[in-house]
Amino acid sequence: MTMAPERTSVRVELLIDQRWFAVCELTGLTPGRGVAALLPDGAQVAVFLDRSGRAYAIANRDPFTGAYVLSRGLLGSAGGRPFVASPLLKQRFDLETGRCLDDETVAVQAYVTRTGDAAAHVA
């Protein structure tokens, strides 16, 4: 009798200080929407899944208002670049770089992300 391989969860991880940190299960994300997550240092990140299944993460704090709301923003693209528009004043932040598309002097931190089988990343 052959046993089916054990199913493992798929996590979204961020690269922080040269180490991978799991922030959520991939199934916890809805394409086109964001969620907020708390990092070990107390910082908040906004984690997004685009409609093609790619995960992104940027700081959750809107630098224009100081509110932790970017995870509630709307996803879009401009010139082929994915962005989130703040739900408050509508400034757009590039999800790959964190740069504000509406004010080049402003940016939020962007994080390198990966998704994968939780068992595959056990050290």
Side-chain angles (χ1 to χ4, degrees), residues 9 21 23 46 48 51 56 60 62 70 73-75 80 105 108 117 119:
S9 60
F21 177 75
V23 290
F48 302 93
R51 297 197 189 284
Y56 299 92
N60 194 33
D62 180 337
L70 292 181
L74 297 174
L75 295 186
T105 65
V108 296
D117 183 326

Side-chain angles (χ1 to χ4, degrees), residues 39-89:
L39 299 179
D41 67 358
Q44 287 187 28
V45 293
V47 183
F48 302 93
L49 186 66
D50 70 13
R51 297 197 189 284
S52 69
R54 181 167 177 201
Y56 299 92
I58 60 172
N60 194 33
R61 185 178 177 273
D62 180 337
F64 291 95
T65 65
Y68 291 86
V69 296
L70 292 181
S71 63
R72 295 175 180 251
L74 297 174
L75 295 186
S77 65
R81 305 288 304 179
F83 70 80
V84 63
S86 173
L88 297 178
L89 301 177

